[in-house]
Each structure stands twice: as C-alpha cells, then as structure tokens.
Amino acid sequence: MKIKYPISLKQILLFSFLIILVLGVSTALVSTLVRTDDKIKAEENNLALNGRTAQTVQSAFENMQSNSYILFESFSVVADEKQKKELGDAFFRSNQDILFVSSPETDLLFNPQYEKFAAGVRAFLGMPEVSAVLSSKSADQKVMYFNASQVFEFPAVIFIYKYGPSNDVRNGVVGLNVASLSELMATGSNNTTILVDEKANVLINPDFGSSKTVREDLLPLVEELLKNPKETNAQRPKDGVFTAVHQIKDDLFVITTISEKSVYAVINKTTYRIILVSLAVLFAAIILIRIFSNGITNPIKELVEASSKIERGEFELDMVPRTRDEIGLLTSSFVQMGKGLSEREKLMVSFSKFTNKTIAQKAASGELSLGGENRNATIFFSDIRSFTAMSEKMQPNEVVEFLNAYMTRMVECVNKTGGVVDKYIGDAIMAVWGAPESSGSAAGDALNAVTAALMMRDSLSSFNRERAARGLAPVKIGCGINSGPVVAGQIGSEERMEYTVIGDAVNLASRTEALNKPFATDVLITENTYNLIKDKVIVAEMPGVHVKGKTDAIKMFAVVNLVGRDGAKSIDEVRSIIGTLAPDLSKVNTDDEEKKYNIQA
C-alpha cells in the first residue's frame, strides 16, 4: 500500500505550524506594542515640533512688525534727509532679514543688499490683489501676508498692516527674508512644516522648489479650524498622516505633518528582519525535524518492509533494534513474532503433510471443534488393483517409495480441483469435495471430483510410461464416486481428533470403487452423482447393482470423459487406455463371504 501522508511530513507540518504560530504571534505582539509606542512618540514629537515652530514664526513676525513701526514713527519726526538715511541704514543693520519697508513716511526703502529686486517689488505691489489691500483705509483690517518667493528667488514674505488713527490710516509694508524660518521648519527628520493663511495659500514651505502655492488638500482643515478655534493646537490624524496644527495671529496656521509610513519605517524594517530570521529558524527547524523524524520513520519503514515479508511468508527477519525506546522494543517484538510465525509455519507445513492444508489451517485457527455438521458432499475412493501381489515382490523400502510416488501424483489431482484428502487406507485414497469447504454447489463439487478422477487417469498413464521405461509392470486403479448427505467434522477425543466424513454416502462410494474390477472400468459414479452433472459428462451406463444394505438397485455409470474434453469418447476407448477387456457380466462369480455386490442381468 502506498503511503499518502508520511509521518515525517506530518511532523514537519506540525512543528512548522507551531514555529510559525509562536514566531508569528511574538512578532505581531512586538510589532503592535512597538507600533503603539512609536505612534505615541511620533504624535508627541510632531506636536512639540509644531508648537515650537509656531512660536518662533509668530515671534519673528511680531518683531518685524514692531521694529518697522518704530522706524516709521522715527521717520515721521525727523526732517533731515541725512538723519533719515542714517536711521534706515541702522535699521537694516539691526534687521538684516528685512528686505525692504514701505510707508508714507519712508516711501519704498530697500535693504542695500536687496536693491536689485526693486523693480520686482514695485511690480508685485502693483498686482491687483496687493493694490486692493493697499487702497483699503479700514483700520480694522488684519495683517495681510503674501508669498514673494518668486520675486526674490528665495523664501520671502511680504506683509501689509495698518497703523495710525482711524481718520488717518496708513499702510506699512514689510518684505521679510524667511529663509531661516524655512530652514527651521525643515529640521524634523521625517516631519514637514508649512505656514499657510486662512485660504490655504502657502507662505513658507521648506521645499522651496515646490510649485504649489495653494494647498487645497488643507483648505477643509483650515476652514474647520476657523469655525472652531478651540480645536487648534492639537494632533489631528488623517488618511495615514499625523497632522499637528497651531493657529497664530492674523489667522495664520503652522501645520506639521509626518506620515505613518515614516513613523513605522523602523519597526517595519525590524519586522522584516524578524520575519527573515524566523524563516531561517523555520528552515533550520525543518532540517532538524527531518533528521529527528528519520530516526523514527526509518525503523518504521523497516517494520513495514518486514510486515510485507511476513505477508509473503518470509518469517526470518534480519532486523536489529537501533534504539532503546518504544520503537526498538517494537522491533525486537517484531523479530520474535517472525520467529514464532516461522515455527508455526513449519509446524503447519509438517501438519499439512499429515492432513489437508485447509483442514490444518482451520484447525490451527480454532475454526474446527469437536463435533460435526451435515453437508452435501461428493466422496471419492481409489484403490490399486492387485497391490497385495505387487507388494509381495518388493522390499519394504521399495513399497514405501512406490506409494509415495504414486500418492504424490494422485493427491496433486485432488488438490488442484479443490478436494480434501480425508485419509490413506494402505494403497487406497479417500477424498471429499464439499467439506470442509465447498465450491458453492453440490453439482460443482461433483464435477470437480470427476475431473480429479480423469486427471488421475492421465497422470497414471504418464506414471506407467515411466515405469515401462524401467521395465516395471503398469499400475491399474479403480475410482468410485458418490454424492449425498454426510456428517462432516472432527471425530475422536479431546486428545486426538481427525477430520472426516461419515454416512451411507461414504459407504456407497467405497462399494462403488470395488465394482470397477468386475466392470473392467477405472472410474465409476453412482446415479446420485450422475444426476448432478449428467449434461457435463460422457458416461456408459452399467447394469444396476444391489448394494449390501440397500433394497433398490443403484445405477452405476462408467465415466468416459467430460463433454468437450479431449480424449476418449466411448467405454471401449477407455478400456483400451487402461488395458482391460470388456467383461461378460453374466459369468461373474464372486465369493459369497466377500460378496458386496450382486449384478442384475
């Protein structure tokens, strides 16, 4: 039988599952715990960075506005142009990040190092959206900020604020270099900070090369914060991104973000390494399990091979236990079992020589017990003609040698047709078909018995040719066959039993065999057997016989051949083959004392 699921495979699958389960659960727990910790730290760091940046930006803008206002006031009280120039130079030396200032008092006043951008600034201030702010006289208008990076080719912001009394509102315009603030916003390793106004216009972006001037994706967030100012300055996770927002004065928003991918990059890398290590451990474990399983499966394979040998009748096993565990004990027991079966087989073989093999097997297995059962069987008797005269001319060892050679041939015919040799009675053979096992029907058993008798006829012819070649006389036999009810079973005592069949059918078969001599035939069957197989045999009817103990005459039939079988087709051909002459039945004279039959004319 082919093994579909080897033990080694089951062990590998089981241990692999356990290893994967343990490593998987451990990795998942570590990953979850570390991810949670990293998330908390990332949120805290993001919020702290956002807060510091917002405070710095607000301070920078307030300082620039305050310092520029002081300059405007100073210009309003100084009339001398030389003093104004000195005040301007001093102002720009103290506020080097201020690019220019503009007011009614100062007009457009540039930091000397940025005067080259004067034309661009004038063009920028002339833009419609900027001009609209400059033309407004509302003292309540908040400070307006514009991204002027395209004018100065570096991060810059221009903001406009109102100052002065309500009846004389003036515009203060300041250009601010925010490169330092931009660098400050870029200090986070994975964080991104930008400054936007209430319309999500980008004022400061560390990515100076970015072409985005409006962050429409942030507009809903800004609008929500404008409606609910209390929700600012808080962590706001959204779409896999941690977002911290601080609202500073003039409705400006400092927004710091960091993606979950960046937050979890380290733990993902660590998890990947753990998985690789787990796979390596799993591979090593599979190798170790394979080595370990071989120590179990190899002895088991040997036991399987040994069981196959036992099935084939090879009981002598050359197996040696390899281990001192249960498998080693099983191997020792298997070897001992083989020895026991070998001895049993030897005993069975020996026993089978004294009785039929089928009976021997049933007796050994306990299927036969003292007692009998009714069976419909076919009984066969054969006898050697004039054996007494033959044996007187031979030495005892020659007699035994002759009988062994003869019996071997005859018994082979019985065995091949499913019969059972009941017993040997000197030179006679008694055999049975239908007990203890049947072919399935009484007719089948009867046909098998007749077939065996015809095989004996052929085998005897071959045997006689061999004897003739050695100058020995031919052997003649007579076979009697009868079918009927018998009692079959173990006959005897508890100490010694013999399987046999008894009954009138047995006696009639014995007496039928004896009729071959006066009829000059070799195979006779009774009317009982003939009725079972008459459409399958060619026979010659003999005169009716009054058998001793029977009132009615029993018809006898000499078997010529089976229908469709090569060989003799008439009784005369049979007598020619067996070397007998047709008798004159009217002149048969028997001894009254030994008389077993009486022939009807």
Side-chain angles (χ1 to χ4, degrees):
M1 181 179 66
K2 185 178 180 181
I3 299 175
K4 189 174 183 180
Y5 301 107
I7 294 177
S8 58
L9 176 60
K10 293 180 181 178
Q11 288 180 324
I12 290 174
L13 292 177
L14 175 61
F15 284 102
S16 297
F17 172 76
L18 293 176
I19 291 172
I20 292 173
L21 178 63
V22 172
L23 292 177
V25 171
S26 301
T27 302
L29 288 175
V30 171
S31 177
T32 301
L33 293 175
V34 174
R35 280 174 182 271
T36 302
D37 188 51
D38 285 353
K39 177 182 178 181
I40 294 173
K41 290 181 179 179
E43 289 178 340
E44 292 176 350
N45 180 65
N46 195 51
L47 186 59
L49 179 62
N50 178 258
R52 291 195 302 268
T53 304
Q55 184 178 1
T56 301
V57 171
Q58 180 166 319
S59 297
F61 283 2
E62 288 176 347
N63 288 335
M64 294 304 103
Q65 183 176 347
S66 175
N67 292 342
S68 63
Y69 180 74
I70 292 173
L71 177 65
F72 299 154
E73 289 295 323
S74 298
F75 265 62
S76 65
V77 297
V78 176
D80 186 63
E81 292 298 326
K82 183 178 181 180
Q83 289 183 336
K84 288 183 178 181
K85 186 177 186 310
E86 291 176 353
L87 283 174
D89 292 341
F91 175 79
F92 286 120
R93 282 197 300 271
S94 300
N95 301 276
Q96 294 184 9
D97 288 339
I98 294 182
L99 304 172
F100 70 92
V101 294
S102 176
S103 69
E105 294 84 6
T106 62
D107 292 326
L108 187 56
L109 184 63
F110 276 90
N111 188 325
Q113 57 182 324
Y114 299 111
E115 285 184 355
K116 61 182 179 179
F117 299 106
V121 171
R122 290 187 177 90
F124 185 85
L125 295 177
M127 293 174 62
E129 60 267 27
V130 179
S131 297
V133 176
L134 293 174
S135 61
S136 173
K137 298 299 181 179
S138 174
D140 296 331
Q141 185 174 355
K142 62 185 178 181
V143 179
M144 299 299 295
Y145 296 86
F146 300 93
N147 189 333
S149 299
Q150 71 271 24
V151 176
F152 295 95
E153 300 178 358
F154 54 78
V157 173
I158 294 176
F159 57 93
I160 304 172
Y161 63 92
K162 305 294 184 178
Y163 69 93
S166 59
N167 59 349
D168 188 19
V169 176
R170 303 174 185 179
N171 292 311
V173 182
V174 179
L176 181 63
N177 184 345
V178 293
S180 59
L181 293 178
S182 180
E183 292 176 359
L184 175 66
M185 292 181 178
T187 54
S189 59
N190 294 308
N191 303 79
T192 300
T193 304
I194 61 174
L195 177 67
V196 300
D197 62 12
E198 74 278 9
K199 295 182 179 180
N201 294 311
V202 179
L203 300 178
I204 301 178
N205 187 352
D207 184 9
F208 178 70
S210 174
S211 61
K212 288 186 177 181
T213 58
V214 180
R215 288 291 300 271
E216 294 181 356
D217 57 315
L218 297 176
L219 186 58
L221 174 61
V222 171
E223 291 176 346
E224 180 182 350
L225 292 174
L226 289 171
K227 294 177 182 178
N228 303 286
K230 294 182 180 180
E231 294 187 8
T232 62
N233 306 337
Q235 191 73 23
R236 305 177 67 83
K238 179 182 179 182
D239 299 332
V241 178
F242 300 121
T243 305
V245 182
H246 269 74
Q247 183 176 4
I248 59 178
K249 62 178 297 185
D250 302 322
D251 290 336
L252 298 183
F253 298 91
V254 176
I255 302 175
T256 303
T257 61
I258 183 172
S259 65
E260 286 186 354
K261 183 178 181 180
S262 299
V263 173
Y264 299 140
V266 176
I267 185 59
N268 288 339
K269 188 175 182 179
T270 302
T271 302
Y272 176 72
R273 290 176 178 174
I274 292 175
I275 292 174
L276 290 180
V277 173
S278 300
L279 292 175
V281 171
L282 177 62
F283 181 74
I286 290 175
I287 294 176
L288 293 176
I289 293 169
R290 179 63 178 173
I291 295 173
F292 172 75
S293 64
N294 285 340
I296 298 176
T297 57
N298 287 343
I300 292 178
K301 288 179 180 178
E302 290 183 356
L303 291 174
V304 172
E305 292 177 0
S307 65
S308 298
K309 288 182 178 180
I310 289 177
E311 288 179 359
R312 295 193 301 267
E314 301 174 17
F315 303 113
E316 296 294 337
L317 307 175
D318 54 349
M319 298 172 59
V320 178
R322 298 183 180 181
T323 58
R324 296 185 178 182
D325 54 13
E326 292 82 355
I327 295 180
L329 179 61
L330 178 61
T331 302
S332 298
S333 300
F334 222 78
V335 172
Q336 294 300 319
M337 180 186 70
K339 291 180 179 179
L341 290 174
S342 177
E343 294 175 358
R344 180 178 179 274
E345 182 67 14
K346 290 177 181 178
L347 179 62
M348 182 66 68
V349 172
S350 299
F351 186 34
S352 299
K353 292 180 180 179
F354 293 94
T355 186
N356 179 267
K357 185 176 182 180
T358 302
I359 295 175
Q361 290 174 342
K362 287 182 175 293
S365 61
E367 295 181 36
L368 294 179
S369 59
L370 188 64
E373 58 180 341
N374 293 324
R375 288 269 191 169
N376 282 317
T378 296
I379 303 92
F380 167 94
F381 278 91
S382 71
D383 189 27
I384 299 176
R385 294 286 169 257
S386 305
F387 177 70
T388 302
M390 289 176 59
S391 61
E392 289 177 350
K393 299 175 182 179
M394 294 186 289
Q395 297 297 321
N397 62 312
E398 293 176 336
V399 173
V400 173
E401 182 180 351
F402 164 75
L403 286 176
N404 286 343
Y406 165 75
M407 294 292 185
T408 298
R409 287 175 173 268
M410 301 300 107
V411 171
E412 183 181 8
C413 300
V414 174
N415 292 337
K416 285 183 176 181
T417 54
V420 172
V421 174
D422 185 284
K423 61 175 65 68
Y424 301 109
I425 310 169
D427 62 311
I429 299 174
M430 175 183 173
V432 181
W433 280 260
E437 292 183 344
S438 172
S439 64
S441 66
D445 294 331
L447 183 61
N448 286 337
V450 173
T451 301
L454 294 176
M455 290 172 63
M456 290 179 185
R457 176 189 291 170
D458 296 338
S459 182
L460 186 63
S461 296
S462 175
F463 184 58
N464 284 332
R465 285 194 295 272
E466 293 176 4
R467 288 177 57 82
R470 291 182 293 164
L472 299 176
V475 177
K476 297 180 180 180
I477 65 172
C479 302
I481 300 173
N482 180 44
S483 302
V486 297
V487 176
Q490 293 283 76
I491 307 298
S493 65
E494 290 288 351
E495 288 76 20
R496 186 177 187 281
M497 293 183 291
E498 180 183 40
Y499 186 88
T500 189
V501 292
I502 58 176
D504 288 342
V506 178
N507 297 332
L508 181 55
S510 175
R511 295 177 182 181
T512 300
E513 181 275 319
L515 292 174
N516 280 286
K517 186 174 182 180
F519 289 157
T521 57
D522 63 340
V523 179
L524 279 178
I525 61 175
T526 65
E527 183 179 1
N528 300 329
T529 302
Y530 175 73
N531 288 334
L532 293 172
I533 57 173
K534 57 185 176 181
D535 58 337
K536 293 182 174 62
V537 292
I538 302 172
V539 297
E541 185 175 350
M542 298 290 108
V545 175
H546 282 95
V547 179
K548 185 177 181 181
K550 297 289 183 180
T551 304
D552 298 331
I554 301 296
K555 290 183 179 180
M556 294 291 166
F557 298 87
V559 178
V560 175
N561 206 342
L562 294 178
V563 174
R565 184 174 180 267
D566 294 337
K569 302 301 180 182
S570 66
I571 189 62
D572 292 334
E573 291 183 45
V574 172
R575 286 171 176 152
S576 174
I577 293 171
I578 62 177
T580 61
L581 299 175
D584 183 357
L585 298 180
S586 62
K587 296 182 179 180
V588 172
N589 183 20
T590 60
D591 186 75
D592 292 337
E593 185 177 351
E594 295 294 326
K595 187 176 181 182
K596 295 182 181 178
Y597 48 83
N598 166 19
I599 301 173
Q600 288 185 340

